[in-house]
Amino acid sequence: MTVQTKNMIATFNFTVPTTVKFGCDISKEIGEITKGLGVEKVLCIYDEGIKSSGISNQIIEHLIQEELKVVTFEKVTANPTDSIVAEAAGFARENEIEAIIAIGGGSSIDCAKAVNILLTNPGSIHQYEGRGVVKNQTKPLIAVPTTAGTGSEVTSVTVVTDSKKLRKMVIGGQHCGATIALVDPLLTVGLPPAVTAGTGMDALTHAIEAYISKGASVMTDINALKAIELISGSIYESTVNGTNIDARSNMLLGSLIAGVAFDSAGLGLVHAISHPISSHCGVPHGTANAILLPHVLAFNGGDERVRQRMRDVASSMGLPIHSIDDQEIVKSIVEKVTDLNHKVNIPRLREAGVKKENFTTIAEDALKERSMNFTPRKATKEDIIAILENAY
Ligand SMILES: NC(=O)c1ccc[n+]([C@@H]2O[C@H](COP(=O)([O-])OP(=O)(O)OC[C@H]3O[C@@H](n4cnc5c(N)ncnc54)[C@H](O)[C@@H]3O)[C@@H](O)[C@H]2O)c1
Ligand SMILES: [Zn+2]
């Protein structure tokens, strides 16, 4: 693995707000770990899918064994909305809970992070959009991820959909992350193939966007490149053979360190376009990113600085890089990602339910996304519409 220092920005900020405990069966320690925080009553937040997988019951049992009082909020929705967050926060206040346990994918973890903000900061979640707006210390939050995708267990942001404006608000900074992440690959074994594929491609997108981001630094690069290696090497196997623990571990570690990378480096054009696609057309976050990734990489390859960075991306994916020019390298990455998408059954944009008449709104909203500040090649509305046409 090479860590390229050419064109690296000279100053950087790097934070990991969360204590990470990683390993098979580590989630069984949740009772003792929670008890160790000195709390007695906790709120577990998750969705229906997690309940029917049996994972939430296992976690709750471990908590009860330690004589903790447990209340549950089971109504998290995909791309969680302001109204679900408000409802869950009201429930948490009524029950006077002292800590939160988030069990699930990014939707459950983000919902829990937003609820936690509202327990100690007044008003509605809309007031806290942006970075650094949350001022008051939040309660302890333990995140137990069950998808190898978002990295939300370790990032300092939560993404909440504004249900009136149909757009995703990103709320981040101090007090917004989880206190502890219990990252257990065994919890991802039952993840269905389509979710494994979509969430895994989300993690790959995080790693690549972080590596080519204008906010990249050596601290984020080492995590991003290792994540690219782990995820590109295991996404196919974990999708078709979900019980392969090595593949599941690689994916969960990859998504975790991709989260570490992008939390400080920022994301890019894929996420800027995928957020309005999810808000307007209901496409799952990971699937939307997977569909866009090869087309945005081809677009970004038009910039010389990005092409240089792509050499390291290709190397981490195990692609040949010697005696090959930069244009060819970009082409080989685009082909590799397209091939991965094909093998794990990622649909095209039209098959995912996006209509051509949505393109203008998606492109206009994408230009307002925070990720546009980090994307290495400036994109216009016309460029974004061309990318959507290519992905259609
Ligand atoms: N905060 C961040 O840093 C960050 C980063 C990227 C994305 N996000 C957000 O995360 C959300 C997407 O999260 P996601 O992609 O993890 O999907 P998700 O949380 O919506 O879960 C997808 C589906 O998989 C099911 N599922 C999850 N784990 C399972 C398991 N182990 N077994 C069986 N079923 C399981 C869930 O019940 C759900 O139906 C989006 O709202 C996105 O904006 C947040
Ligand atoms: Zn993402």
Side-chain angles (χ1 to χ4, degrees):
M1 182 178 68
T2 46
V3 178
Q4 186 168 326
T5 52
K6 222 185 321 173
N7 293 336
M8 188 87 67
I9 53 170
T11 56
F12 61 84
N13 292 314
F14 180 79
T15 312
V16 182
T18 307
T19 297
V20 177
K21 289 176 182 281
F22 184 98
C24 288
D25 274 337
I26 196 81
S27 62
K28 289 187 173 161
E29 293 175 23
I30 191 152
E32 295 130 64
I33 290 169
T34 308
K35 192 97 183 170
L37 294 170
V39 298
E40 285 179 8
K41 190 171 185 185
V42 299
L43 167 64
C44 291
I45 296 187
Y46 47 90
D47 63 22
E48 264 178 32
I50 297 300
K51 187 173 185 182
S52 40
S53 74
I55 295 173
S56 48
N57 279 348
Q58 285 172 36
I59 298 285
I60 291 166
E61 270 173 34
H62 293 307
L63 295 166
I64 291 172
Q65 271 166 18
E66 290 296 323
E67 294 171 356
L68 289 151
K69 292 190 195 103
V70 181
V71 289
T72 59
F73 184 86
E74 304 180 333
K75 291 193 270 178
V76 176
T77 50
N79 301 305
T81 58
D82 41 12
S83 40
I84 278 291
V85 167
E87 186 183 336
F91 179 77
R93 271 188 225 104
E94 269 167 38
N95 283 283
E96 298 180 344
I97 57 98
E98 295 161 282
I100 299 181
I101 316 265
I103 312 162
S107 298
S108 295
I109 299 175
D110 281 7
C111 182
K113 284 169 160 178
V115 167
N116 203 19
I117 291 167
L118 294 185
L119 293 185
T120 52
N121 292 271
S124 84
I125 197 67
H126 306 85
Q127 286 166 235
Y128 299 100
E129 186 170 3
R131 248 198 133 77
V133 190
V134 176
K135 299 293 179 211
N136 297 337
Q137 178 65 51
T138 41
K139 292 181 187 287
L141 192 161
I142 301 181
V144 185
T146 62
T147 62
T150 69
S152 179
E153 66 276 11
V154 81
T155 67
S156 61
V157 295
T158 169
V159 186
V160 178
T161 300
D162 182 325
S163 48
K164 287 215 177 73
K165 296 186 181 154
L166 286 184
R167 50 179 286 275
K168 286 198 168 200
M169 303 178 284
V170 180
I171 297 141
Q174 228 191 337
H175 314 306
C176 299
T179 318
I180 300 173
L182 283 188
V183 190
D184 184 343
L186 296 183
L187 298 185
T188 63
V189 166
L191 200 57
V195 188
T196 303
T199 53
M201 289 305 290
D202 182 29
L204 182 63
T205 308
H206 293 157
I208 298 178
E209 293 212 293
Y211 192 71
I212 62 177
S213 165
K214 282 189 195 165
S217 72
V218 67
M219 303 292 280
T220 59
D221 284 352
I222 50 173
N223 287 295
L225 290 179
K226 186 68 188 171
I228 292 166
E229 179 194 315
L230 289 167
I231 299 162
S232 62
S234 289
I235 187 166
Y236 175 68
E237 178 62 17
S238 67
T239 302
V240 297
N241 183 11
T243 54
N244 181 330
I245 306 299
D246 285 339
R248 290 294 192 185
S249 296
N250 286 344
M251 290 301 292
L252 198 58
L253 181 58
S255 63
L256 174 84
I257 60 177
V260 169
F262 89 76
D263 197 40
S264 291
L267 291 166
L269 188 56
V270 177
H271 275 77
I273 307 176
S274 82
H275 277 184
I277 288 180
S278 292
S279 305
H280 290 289
C281 311
V283 181
H285 176 73
T287 308
N289 286 327
I291 294 168
L292 294 166
L293 183 60
H295 305 287
V296 172
L297 288 175
F299 170 79
N300 280 335
D303 179 284
E304 195 196 332
R305 176 190 169 269
V306 188
R307 283 202 295 273
Q308 287 170 11
R309 300 284 281 173
M310 292 280 210
R311 202 165 266 282
D312 299 331
V313 172
S315 173
S316 295
M317 286 181 156
L319 296 167
I321 56 164
H322 298 296
S323 316
I324 301 175
D325 74 29
D326 287 348
Q327 308 262 17
E328 286 298 314
I329 296 262
V330 173
K331 209 170 142 222
S332 71
I333 296 170
V334 170
E335 280 170 6
K336 169 87 182 180
V337 174
T338 305
D339 183 51
L340 281 177
N341 271 351
H342 183 68
K343 281 186 172 156
V344 299
N345 282 325
I346 298 294
R348 293 194 65 82
L349 203 51
R350 88 175 94 83
E351 294 161 340
V354 178
K355 305 248 178 323
K356 282 204 175 194
E357 57 254 38
N358 300 128
F359 283 8
T360 306
T361 312
I362 292 168
E364 285 169 358
D365 285 0
L367 289 171
K368 295 177 207 151
E369 287 280 325
R370 187 172 180 269
S371 296
M372 292 304 285
N373 299 330
F374 298 99
T375 196
R377 182 178 177 198
K378 199 172 156 32
T380 62
K381 183 172 154 187
E382 291 67 36
D383 292 329
I384 295 171
I385 289 178
I387 287 166
L388 291 167
E389 292 281 357
N390 291 338
Y392 195 65

